[in-house]
Structure formats: structure tokens, C-alpha cells
């Protein structure tokens, strides 16, 4: 299996119960979205949008005149998000069932959310394709799992075990934000979840190579 195929397989049986399982980290999701400092009328991109659980919060930031763009490669996760958008009647939410490496957005994004999208963040082709479709100066916010400091030793087995059921690149946790950071300025990050997680914010520099 490719990494993408493995990821799709791992999420196949998680879609139905994903929203309930994500309830525990909703405060962290809200905190990460807050780092985007969204303004009415902006276009915000939800990377690896999953079931669309962030759509309502992003819409609050950009208002009815703004747009929420999202993409998700898991058919099962996307189907839940599609039902959510239809049920809520969100005319300003656009989303597509495509992988990060090849998805094409209908507009450039003014802000980008990477919320627990580890495999995407660790895939150079995915990161490059995303930022080709983002405006220079866009705010970027990230959240995810990382390793504890190296000196904690065996504790990092816990981080790996936590990441493995969801991500193909489960061991690549030392600086999971680094590929995004290479394209950004003013990256700031801090530990969450007693050191096993992180949130970060940055400003996209504008290099679309």
C-alpha cells in the first residue's frame, strides 16, 4: 500500500464515530483556529478536513461573505462532512474528496488550518501543492502529535502508539511542522497535552515552488 492508501484504509472504520472521539480535543481545535485570526470575507482552507468538524468554527470567523474550502481523501470521512454541509445548508462551504498532492482549489486561501493532519504535513508533494494555492501573507495554524523531549526515552513509545492507528508516518514526530515552517516566517509553537502535542502558528512567505 502507498501511504495514502494506508491512511484511507485506517480511516474507513473511524468515520462513523470520529466526531464523538474528537470531542475531547475540541478545546484544542478552537484554540488552533483562534490562531488564524480570521476576518469576515476571507477564504480559509481546512487541510484534510475529515468530517468537516471545523467548518462551523471557520464559518464563524469568515462570516457569510467569506468562504471555507476543504479537502479530504477518505471517502468515508468526506461523506460525513458532505452530509453535515447539506444538513446545515452552508452555501459558502466548498469541499472535495481528493488527496492533498493533487487537489485543486477554486480560489486562493487567505488562511490555512492544519488540524491533526500529520501525514499531509510530512509529505513534501502535499505541502507544496497546498501552498501553491495560498496567498502570500496568509496565516497558518497547526495542531498535532509530537514526540516528548528526547530525554524522556520510553515515553515516546506512547506518542508512537497514539499516532499509529491514524497515520502512515507514525514515527516521524520530532518536528512534524518542519516542512510547513520552511515556507513560512514567524513560526511559533508550544507544547500541549503534557508534551505529546503541539500547536503552532506562522505567516506564509509566498514561495509557491
Amino acid at each position: 500500500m502507498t501511504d495514502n492508501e494506508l491512511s484511507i484504509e485506517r480511516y474507513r472504520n473511524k468515520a462513523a464515530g470520529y466526531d464523538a472521539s474528537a470531542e475531547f480535543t475540541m478545546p484544542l481545535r478552537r484554540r488552533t483556529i483562534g490562531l488564524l485570526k480570521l476576518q469576515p470575507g476571507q477564504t480559509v482552507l481546512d487541510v484534510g478536513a475529515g468530517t468537516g468538524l471545523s467548518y462551523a468554527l471557520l464559518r464563524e470567523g469568515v462570516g457569510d461573505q467569506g468562504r471555507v474550502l476543504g479537502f479530504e481523501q477518505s471517502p468515508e470521512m468526506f461523506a460525513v462532512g458532505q452530509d453535515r454541509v447539506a444538513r446545515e445548508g452552508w452555501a459558502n462551504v466548498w469541499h472535495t474528496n481528493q488527496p492533498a498532492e493533487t487537489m485543486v482549489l477554486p480560489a486562493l486561501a487567505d488562511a490555512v488550518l492544519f488540524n491533526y493532519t500529520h501525514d499531509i504535513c510530512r509529505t513534501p508533494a502535499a505541502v507544496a501543492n497546498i501552498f501553491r494555492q495560498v496567498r502570500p501573507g496568509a496565516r497558518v495554524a497547526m495542531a498535532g502529535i509530537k514526540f516528548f523531549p528526547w530525554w524522556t526515552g520510553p515515553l515516546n513509545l506512547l506518542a508512537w502508539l497514539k499516532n499509529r492507528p491514524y497515520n502512515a508516518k507514525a514515527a516521524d514526530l520530532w518536528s512534524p511542522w518542519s516542512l510547513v515552517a520552511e515556507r513560512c516566517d514567524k513560526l511559533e509553537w508550544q507544547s500541549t497535552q503534557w508534551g505529546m502535542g503541539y500547536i503552532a502558528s506562522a505567516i506564509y512567505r509566498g514561495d509557491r515552488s
Side-chain angles (χ1 to χ4, degrees):
M1 282 188 180
T2 66
D3 285 351
N4 281 7
E5 289 169 342
L6 181 58
S7 178
I8 289 171
E9 182 63 28
R10 287 182 172 175
Y11 276 95
R12 181 157 287 129
N13 297 322
K14 292 181 173 64
Y18 181 83
D19 287 5
S21 69
E23 188 64 30
F24 176 73
T25 57
M26 279 303 292
L28 186 59
R29 185 186 298 262
R30 293 189 183 94
R31 185 176 166 192
T32 307
I33 290 172
L35 295 175
L36 293 174
K37 299 181 181 179
L38 295 172
Q39 300 297 317
Q42 287 187 321
T43 296
V44 58
L45 171 60
D46 190 357
V47 172
T51 63
L53 198 54
S54 294
Y55 289 168
L57 297 171
L58 296 173
R59 288 186 73 256
E60 288 178 10
V62 301
D64 291 337
Q65 284 68 48
R67 297 184 75 183
V68 176
L69 312 179
F71 67 87
E72 170 57 47
Q73 71 172 357
S74 163
E76 290 79 14
M77 296 283 280
F78 178 76
V80 177
Q82 197 168 36
D83 288 345
R84 184 192 307 276
V85 172
R87 184 173 63 251
E88 299 292 342
W90 290 333
N92 65 337
V93 174
W94 176 96
H95 62 162
T96 183
N97 181 204
Q98 295 183 54
E101 294 89 339
T102 57
M103 66 83 194
V104 178
L105 301 177
L108 295 178
D110 301 305
V112 188
L113 173 67
F114 293 86
N115 186 69
Y116 282 78
T117 55
H118 178 73
D119 280 344
I120 293 173
C121 294
R122 301 312 303 158
T123 303
V127 173
N129 186 47
I130 289 165
F131 280 105
R132 276 193 290 266
Q133 303 177 73
V134 175
R135 294 186 191 280
R139 296 193 67 87
V140 179
M142 307 177 69
I145 291 177
K146 69 171 185 64
F147 277 143
F148 293 98
W150 65 269
W151 45 265
T152 60
L155 268 180
N156 283 324
L157 178 61
L158 176 62
W160 178 79
L161 288 171
K162 185 75 172 177
N163 203 29
R164 188 173 181 273
Y166 298 93
N167 294 295
K169 303 177 187 294
D172 192 3
L173 290 169
W174 286 114
S175 298
W177 53 81
S178 65
L179 295 180
V180 172
E182 289 173 1
R183 297 171 179 272
C184 294
D185 294 322
K186 301 181 180 178
L187 181 106
E188 299 178 355
W189 70 272
Q190 56 186 286
S191 293
T192 62
Q193 297 161 294
W194 304 281
M196 194 172 67
Y198 72 93
I199 61 171
S201 64
I203 305 295
Y204 175 48
R205 202 166 41 243
D207 176 11
R208 295 185 187 171
S209 61

